[in-house]
Amino acid sequence: MTKRIAILTGGGDCPGLNPAIRGVVLKAAKLGYECVGIQEGWKGMIDAAAVPLSLHDVKEIVGKGGTILGTSRTNPYKKEGGVASVLETFKKLGLHALVAMGGEDTLGVAAKLFKEHKVNVVGVPKTMDNDLDATDYTFGFDTAATIAVDAAERLIDTGRSHRRIMVLEVMGRHAGWVALYTAIGAGADYLCLPERPVDVKDMAAKLKAAHAKNNVALVVASEAVDITGEQAPKEQLDAFGHMILKARGVAERLSKIIEAETKIETRSAVIGHIQRGGGPTLFDRILGTRVGVKAAELAHEGKFGHMVALKGDAVVPVSLEAATAKLKTVTPEWLKLSDDLL
Ligand code: F6P
């Protein structure tokens, strides 16, 4: 009987998942395995929702956004009987291995399943937030930041015409990597990150100075910043205990504060999920493909409980437990660089 590898994608989707799925399927076929796709992340493992994943199914997906398998933020550890159902599905489908593609939440579940139940899992890191420790980059990030830079440049154009200050809000609830790269890549005038509270007086002074010189000033803000002296709206939490940020409206809150402080007309824009859609950049296509191929190799070698990481230019296995132990937030070196530039 042909051995079987299952693939699931969990958490927020991001460009690069489809190339990664394709990478697993192509390499697995070379190694003599057939693949099945688990639908909608861990939810599909609980419900035993699997579909065949043939070479034909992945033929034209390398440039496609989203995930052909669907995704969810389901946490089997938070569902009554969830873990038992996952173990049951693993047996029922006759799996040799499960490749779980996700961020800290999805991979955190994989790490626990390996540790507690010796499940044959291999992890593939994905997140547009780029906040997974133990890998230099995750696919999805390059595409998201590229889209955000384009949005930022458009805001500068219209802002200059109207002599306005513009605020762009990007995703990143615990780590400000997308905001940081966007601000540097688009030549912004101020950067607001979750890693440090926004100093309103400093921001207003810098924006006024930039506006006086250039007739426009741009702020790039991560969705979860703390603004000093401001009472932030209350958050709701998801199944993994993370803030659901859709109602927080950082860009609008900042723009009101900026207008009041600077007396310069200010407008804001939120690009939200636009950053997560569309075809992956070339970088994300190649990275997704490489980590997918490596995941199939690790599954074949029986190197379970590991995630594929990008270290320099090499894709290497790292333990899932270590990889999910802490989040990678913007480092003091990067903060210093942005302070030197902005
Ligand atoms: O996947 C991480 C992320 O992109 C965060 O930056 C953002 O806060 C969150 O997803 C949004 O998730 P949802 O798709 O559930 O609105």
Side-chain angles (χ1 to χ4, degrees):
M1 201 176 101
T2 318
K3 282 196 183 181
R4 204 179 245 187
I5 295 176
I7 306 168
L8 69 78
T9 56
D13 70 339
C14 73
L17 280 167
N18 287 329
I21 293 168
R22 174 173 168 267
V24 177
V25 174
L26 295 185
K27 186 67 192 185
K30 284 250 153 75
L31 295 168
Y33 296 83
E34 66 175 24
C35 286
V36 291
I38 305 295
Q39 292 178 313
E40 298 169 32
W42 291 114
K43 180 172 182 292
M45 278 303 282
I46 294 173
D47 300 341
V51 288
L53 214 43
S54 67
L55 292 176
H56 175 75
D57 293 320
V58 299
K59 179 94 190 84
E60 290 175 6
I61 65 170
V62 71
K64 284 212 163 68
T67 159
I68 58 165
L69 299 175
T71 186
S72 70
R73 294 194 188 276
T74 305
N75 182 351
Y77 281 91
K78 286 281 153 70
K79 291 230 170 231
E80 182 79 36
V83 173
S85 302
V86 168
L87 301 178
E88 184 56 36
T89 301
F90 198 95
K91 257 204 236 143
K92 190 168 141 190
L93 295 176
L95 301 181
H96 164 69
L98 171 65
V99 175
M101 302 185 177
E104 49 145 354
D105 296 333
T106 305
L107 298 182
V109 171
K112 251 178 133 177
L113 287 170
F114 176 74
K115 195 172 173 195
E116 293 173 4
H117 301 280
K118 293 278 160 276
V119 176
N120 290 358
V121 281
V122 172
V124 166
K126 71 85 233 183
T127 161
M128 58 147 285
D129 294 337
N130 201 35
D131 58 1
L132 260 179
D133 208 32
T135 185
D136 291 354
Y137 285 96
T138 45
F139 59 75
F141 171 66
D142 185 65
T143 309
T146 301
I147 294 167
V149 165
D150 178 64
E153 289 177 338
R154 288 166 195 268
L155 290 182
I156 293 172
D157 288 346
T158 172
R160 181 175 287 113
S161 306
H162 288 265
R163 291 7 186 176
R164 285 172 175 157
I165 294 175
M166 306 301 287
V167 181
L168 172 65
E169 178 183 319
V170 299
M171 279 186 172
R173 52 187 161 185
H174 302 294
W177 294 106
V178 175
L180 173 80
Y181 272 53
T182 304
I184 295 175
D189 300 291
Y190 208 80
L191 170 63
C192 302
L193 298 171
E195 284 82 357
R196 64 176 172 198
V198 180
D199 178 339
V200 170
K201 295 289 171 208
D202 178 66
M203 174 173 67
K206 291 201 172 126
L207 291 176
K208 264 172 114 168
H211 185 271
K213 267 198 243 144
N214 308 315
N215 289 323
V216 63
L218 176 74
V219 180
V220 177
S222 210
E223 62 187 336
V225 297
D226 286 330
I227 307 171
T228 43
E230 189 220 35
Q231 181 75 44
K234 233 179 128 32
E235 294 111 18
Q236 294 172 311
L237 300 182
D238 67 17
F240 288 91
H242 295 304
M243 301 178 266
I244 301 174
L245 290 162
K246 60 179 190 242
R248 282 183 40 123
V250 160
E252 212 183 313
R253 281 156 51 208
L254 275 173
S255 79
K256 280 192 187 128
I257 292 170
I258 291 166
E259 204 166 77
E261 290 283 328
T262 62
K263 311 281 179 268
I264 300 168
E265 194 174 37
T266 303
R267 293 285 191 272
S268 64
V270 182
I271 50 170
H273 294 83
I274 293 169
Q275 291 156 100
R276 296 218 314 239
T281 55
L282 180 60
F283 180 87
D284 283 339
R285 290 178 198 206
I286 302 299
L287 179 57
T289 303
R290 289 180 77 197
V291 291
V293 166
K294 187 71 180 178
E297 284 172 9
L298 294 186
H300 176 61
E301 290 160 11
K303 213 161 169 43
F304 303 119
H306 284 75
M307 173 191 102
V308 183
L310 179 71
K311 295 272 190 192
D313 194 37
V315 283
V316 294
V318 293
S319 109
L320 265 174
E321 198 173 3
T324 54
K326 68 174 171 59
L327 270 188
K328 181 175 71 184
T329 52
V330 172
T331 58
E333 293 74 37
W334 278 101
L335 289 177
K336 161 113 189 24
L337 177 73
S338 78
D339 288 343
D340 289 343
L341 296 170
L342 273 68

